Amino acid sequence: MSDKNLTEVLDADAQGIARAVAILDSGGLVAVPTETVYGLAARADSAEAVAKIYAAKGRPDFNPLIVHVRDIEQAEELAEISDAARLLADQHWPGPLTLVLPCKPEAKLAGAVTAGLPTVALRAPAHPVMQALLEAVDFPLAAPSANRSGFISPTTARHVLASLDGRIDLVLDGGPTQAGVESTIVAVRGDGSLEELRPGPVVLAGTHRGEVRGFEAPGQLASHYAPGKPVRLNAGHADASEFLIGFGAVSGDCTLSVAGDLTEAASRLYDCLHRGAASEKQRIAIAPVPEEGIGIAINDRLRRAATPPD
């Protein structure tokens, strides 16, 4: 990384993790790699620390945060864990699945974490760096994506600095993330039914997508993940003014997957959007991506990226 960075950047090794723990303990902000995207972590039990997340991101205060926990035992300190929720956690934690559950009244969480809702979004991440941080601190971590609100999510430390340099204390550089899109979010209702609030890497049978009831979880804004220029979807070719993001048989200036592999496409999605945003081309065109498996999550992000802000 450049010495000109205003935000401190360290490798995600033992020394870097120790520095991150000290910053988090004192109420600071640290960008951390997870298996999905880089998260902007702060202690979830501190109103002052959580307020810094909202300020750094320019995030609307009605949009709740995901809380990262070590395991199901720590989750039980914060939320009511039904049998259905416990089964999902047993099957998919640690991993890219966030569960929206009833928040316990005695939970030691800053009010802004839940944005005043009676529920809390919890995830036990699988990435070793985030796991190491959670093991080293005695509080859960609120950690939305480490980018300015509404813009392209970060899958590298460089992406984080593109919008947050000078606004946060530290970036732990753990290299590119693997999954590439944010976690699946599922609300576990009181009757045991499952409602998908945001598609992601984990595809669950038996979930349904109901009518939007307001903002219960991150990633529900109609316009999100925006590259700052017009986006055209399902493009088979590009005009002279367009940066083409290809897939499969449609080659481009940046290609999600030459082989048409959806997992690879997910891992490359945000990097290609960042490249398109940085290009001299005035617009971005994106090849069709199948609406199946993790392709559902990819298309969800693309539709939001293509929606102009209000």
Side-chain angles (χ1 to χ4, degrees):
M1 293 295 173
S2 168
D3 291 336
K4 296 180 181 179
N5 295 326
L6 300 175
T7 290
E8 186 178 4
V9 181
L10 295 174
D11 289 338
D13 54 17
Q15 182 178 356
I17 289 171
R19 173 69 175 145
V21 168
I23 290 171
L24 292 167
D25 190 61
S26 65
L29 302 181
V30 180
V32 186
T34 78
E35 70 273 31
T36 57
V37 300
Y38 274 69
L40 183 57
R43 54 186 306 161
D45 62 348
S46 165
E48 293 79 8
V50 170
K52 290 179 182 179
I53 290 179
Y54 281 92
K57 286 177 62 70
R59 185 182 180 94
D61 60 8
F62 58 77
N63 200 357
L65 303 176
I66 292 175
V67 176
H68 291 65
V69 294
R70 287 187 298 271
D71 48 34
I72 190 68
E73 286 74 26
Q74 190 173 33
E76 287 178 320
E77 299 173 8
L78 306 175
E80 301 292 346
I81 310 293
S82 65
D83 290 343
R86 189 176 301 277
L87 179 60
L88 288 173
D90 288 344
Q91 292 173 335
H92 299 285
W93 282 5
L97 176 66
T98 295
L99 300 178
V100 173
L101 304 166
C103 187
K104 286 186 172 179
E106 68 272 21
K108 295 180 179 179
L109 293 173
V113 167
T114 61
L117 297 170
T119 54
V120 61
L122 300 178
R123 179 164 97 86
H127 197 285
V129 175
M130 182 62 98
Q131 287 182 330
L133 286 179
L134 288 165
E135 287 291 340
V137 298
D138 59 1
F139 43 79
L141 295 174
S145 58
N147 58 289
R148 292 282 285 168
S149 184
F151 292 90
I152 309 168
S153 297
T155 55
T156 67
R158 175 174 53 83
H159 294 163
V160 176
L161 292 171
S163 66
L164 293 181
D165 191 15
R167 304 180 69 87
I168 64 176
D169 299 294
L170 173 67
V171 179
L172 280 181
D173 188 351
T177 62
Q178 296 301 309
V181 294
E182 297 84 352
S183 63
T184 303
I185 301 180
V186 171
V188 183
R189 303 302 184 194
D191 60 1
S193 64
L194 307 178
E195 186 170 351
E196 183 182 77
L197 303 181
R198 181 178 72 186
V202 175
V203 179
L204 296 175
T207 59
H208 70 281
R209 301 202 74 179
E211 295 182 3
V212 176
R213 309 184 186 189
F215 287 90
E216 292 187 87
Q220 294 185 292
L221 290 167
S223 179
H224 205 15
Y225 318 105
K229 56 182 66 173
V231 174
R232 182 168 66 93
L233 304 180
N234 300 314
H237 66 281
D239 297 331
S241 64
E242 292 179 322
F243 180 95
L244 180 59
I245 297 176
F247 178 80
V250 179
S251 59
D253 300 292
C254 181
T255 300
L256 297 174
S257 174
V258 174
D261 182 278
L262 289 172
T263 299
E264 181 184 19
S267 71
R268 290 181 50 78
L269 174 62
Y270 290 135
D271 187 60
C272 282
L273 283 173
H274 276 283
R275 290 172 186 264
S279 76
E280 296 180 354
K281 301 291 182 68
Q282 298 173 328
R283 301 173 178 81
I284 298 173
I286 304 173
V289 176
E291 189 88 13
E292 59 188 43
I294 199 170
I296 296 172
I298 294 171
N299 282 301
D300 171 79
R301 307 309 193 268
L302 290 177
R303 282 189 289 270
R304 296 175 195 275
T307 301
D310 293 335

